[in-house]
Amino acid sequence: MKVWLIGAYGIVSTTAMVGAKALERGIVDKTGLVSELPPFKKISEYVPLKFEFGGHDIRPLPTAYDAIMEHWESNRHFDREILDAVGDELKKIKACKGTALNCGEGIRELGRVETLEDEGLTLREIVDRIEKDIKGFADDETVVINVASTEPLPKFSEKYHTTIEGFEEMLDNDVKEYATASMLYAYVALKLGLPYGNFTPSVGSSLPALKQLAEEKGVPHAGNDGKTGETLVKTTLAPMFAYRNLKILGWMSYNILGDYDGKVLSHRENKESKVISKDKVLEKIMGYSPYTITEIEYFPSLVDNKTAFDFIHFQGFLGTKMKFYFIWDGIDAIVAAPLILDIARFLLFAKKKGISGVVKEMAFFFKSPMETDVINTHEQFVMLKDWFEKLAEV
Ligand SMILES: NC(=O)c1ccc[n+]([C@@H]2O[C@H](COP(=O)([O-])OP(=O)(O)OC[C@H]3O[C@@H](n4cnc5c(N)ncnc54)[C@H](O)[C@@H]3O)[C@@H](O)[C@H]2O)c1
């Protein structure tokens, strides 16, 4: 299959590329891939583990190889031999220039940036260019995934965001104020009939107008915001308190991370989307709102080695208060990259099975899954498994 990555030069994207190529050569094992677990065995009949990559980015680097070299030099997040074995494959991947419309101040942290809007293009011209780039790569087995930096919350417009007719009007009248990059990419993917996955908290295809477009075009889509680290642990652990009827009084989550992601998120408006995405989960699992503190702070020397400190204050029998602490020391790109391949495979599988609209059964992969309140990781896994098994039988 082919995967078009928005943010193709990022650490998650390039690590996914390295991993996919290394898997193809059989030089690494399949640890970390959900789609390779026994319940999903049949997926290889529909979507083999073989990927070609293309994408958009706003950093003018020569190829994906230059991008992964930069990430690898600062993180050394996997064995150098793996990179050497597949490096030539990444030299063939060159990202097209993308848009960073209304992506906020945080984008400046990425260094030299070149965008379509710098060329003075209108909204319609921007989407036409994105469409031309994707069409030049895509076939019937292509999925688009947004792995670009997190953008700020968009300025919402009833007129332009609720129906696809309104959205088209926004494009035709060049109303840039209400458009953000992620919605423009999502619009093009869905318009072309390509399944779309949103690994970021950015709005992407969750706009009502774009949900309508996906239904009309019969395209599956899923998001938002990959569930990979602290939120994964939180939504796996919180059900334990619920099952044992222990009352969570307060939950503090303090995340520190470096790298480009951390730099961009150190900007208040970019961070806002992420904090909302991480903060909402407890209320949905517990049915009440415990007191929460959710912080994300930039910590340069950690680069991609994100650390999360969580403190949980809870109440048990006889009103007695107790404490629980955990520390998650994850390497962000390593926990995220295999999920990019999983999401791409499940979305293409969904398309092959004629599924359209939001695939809520893929909630398992996301912090803020669309159109479902199932946040409990255990329930999400069962939901994914049941959905897959039922469809695979047909
Ligand atoms: N575990 C994880 O790493 C994890 C989990 C959930 C979500 N995410 C999200 O995934 C995204 C990527 O994370 P990362 O660590 O790879 O970040 P990164 O900063 O390494 O990569 C982002 C890439 O996107 C590019 N970019 C930024 N804005 C763009 C735009 N408008 N169009 C095209 N390209 C653009 C940047 O130039 C960069 O190459 C972030 O939004 C992050 O919050 C990551």
Side-chain angles (χ1 to χ4, degrees):
M1 72 172 297
K2 293 187 176 184
V3 185
W4 185 267
L5 296 165
I6 314 296
Y9 289 160
I11 189 165
V12 175
S13 287
T14 48
T15 305
M17 291 173 192
V18 168
K21 296 296 164 192
L23 280 163
E24 226 171 282
R25 286 171 181 238
I27 56 173
V28 295
D29 69 22
K30 294 170 181 168
T31 309
L33 280 172
V34 175
S35 55
E36 285 297 312
L37 285 170
F40 309 113
K41 199 163 171 271
K42 276 194 178 166
I43 202 162
S44 352
E45 292 170 24
Y46 299 90
V47 192
L49 260 186
K50 201 168 169 2
F51 300 88
E52 260 182 68
F53 297 96
H56 280 107
D57 207 288
I58 52 171
R59 289 186 298 137
L61 299 173
T63 69
Y65 181 74
D66 301 271
I68 189 65
M69 280 311 295
E70 189 191 305
H71 295 303
W72 191 86
E73 284 299 342
S74 51
N75 287 289
R76 303 188 178 232
H77 50 312
F78 51 82
D79 277 350
R80 177 63 197 232
E81 293 88 75
I82 303 175
L83 182 52
D84 291 340
V86 302
D88 284 347
E89 301 272 358
L90 269 76
K91 286 181 186 160
K92 295 181 208 154
I93 304 169
K94 183 165 176 46
C96 300
K97 189 198 287 185
T99 166
L101 197 66
N102 294 324
C103 284
E105 287 292 304
I107 295 301
R108 292 208 193 137
E109 301 289 353
L110 296 166
R112 196 172 138 224
V113 158
E114 288 179 7
T115 66
L116 292 172
E117 50 280 11
D118 292 343
E119 295 180 22
L121 304 186
T122 64
L123 278 183
R124 185 54 82 185
E125 287 165 341
I126 291 173
V127 294
D128 285 350
R129 273 280 286 280
I130 296 171
E131 181 172 336
K132 187 166 161 269
D133 296 334
I134 300 182
K135 266 187 172 168
F137 169 86
D139 59 13
D140 270 356
E141 305 218 332
T142 301
V143 167
V144 175
I145 300 192
N146 181 15
V147 229
S149 313
T150 300
E151 62 188 30
L153 294 170
K155 194 168 158 189
F156 186 71
S157 157
E158 182 87 28
K159 182 173 175 197
Y160 298 126
H161 292 166
T162 45
T163 65
I164 189 58
E165 294 73 23
F167 192 87
E168 297 281 2
E169 200 184 323
M170 173 182 79
L171 298 180
D172 289 333
N173 296 338
D174 198 26
V175 194
K176 290 206 171 80
E177 195 187 341
Y178 292 107
T180 65
S182 74
M183 57 175 92
L184 299 181
Y185 293 119
Y187 163 79
V188 175
L190 299 172
K191 186 178 161 214
L192 293 176
L194 305 175
Y196 169 89
N198 187 6
F199 203 73
T200 79
S202 307
V203 64
S205 66
S206 56
L207 212 61
L210 299 184
K211 285 185 177 169
Q212 181 193 341
L213 179 64
E215 290 290 353
E216 285 177 11
K217 294 277 177 186
V219 196
H221 62 124
N224 298 325
D225 201 7
K227 183 160 97 168
T228 58
E230 190 254 343
T231 311
L232 173 66
V233 181
K234 190 190 256 181
T235 54
T236 306
L237 196 59
M240 176 192 79
F241 292 93
Y243 301 150
R244 283 295 170 98
N245 199 6
L246 297 169
K247 186 172 181 199
I248 298 176
L249 302 168
W251 194 310
M252 183 217 69
S253 312
Y254 198 90
N255 299 263
I256 50 174
L257 77 161
D259 236 0
Y260 285 131
D261 193 22
K263 268 190 190 171
V264 173
L265 291 175
S266 67
H267 287 256
R268 190 190 49 78
E269 52 180 1
N270 299 73
K271 181 157 68 177
E272 198 178 3
S273 319
K274 189 63 124 187
V275 169
I276 289 175
S277 180
K278 288 172 86 68
D279 205 27
K280 273 189 177 164
V281 294
L282 277 182
E283 187 184 332
K284 289 184 182 163
I285 293 177
M286 305 306 292
Y288 56 89
S289 310
Y291 176 74
T292 56
I293 297 175
T294 303
E295 289 292 341
I296 307 173
E297 294 297 339
Y298 181 48
F299 201 101
S301 60
L302 278 180
V303 270
D304 207 43
N305 301 267
K306 191 218 275 143
T307 295
F309 304 90
D310 279 51
F311 167 73
I312 306 142
H313 199 203
F314 64 100
Q315 186 180 324
F317 201 42
L318 307 179
T320 303
K321 290 176 184 168
M322 294 167 272
K323 295 165 193 159
F324 182 97
Y325 313 76
F326 73 81
I327 294 175
W328 170 263
D329 249 333
I331 298 181
D332 258 7
I334 294 299
V335 283
L339 297 193
I340 302 300
L341 308 181
D342 286 327
I343 292 167
R345 289 180 100 189
F346 282 113
L347 278 173
L348 183 56
F349 170 78
K351 179 179 174 178
K352 290 189 173 191
K353 290 293 179 180
I355 304 293
S356 62
V358 173
V359 188
K360 61 178 190 305
E361 293 84 354
M362 285 176 65
F364 178 69
F365 295 107
F366 302 105
K367 287 192 196 72
S368 309
M370 287 192 275
E371 292 185 10
T372 176
D373 279 335
V374 183
I375 301 293
N376 174 331
T377 308
H378 313 274
E379 286 175 16
Q380 288 175 333
F381 186 77
V382 173
M383 191 161 92
L384 179 71
K385 187 172 140 303
D386 290 350
W387 169 79
F388 179 82
E389 283 172 351
K390 200 165 148 212
L391 283 176
E393 269 169 25
V394 189

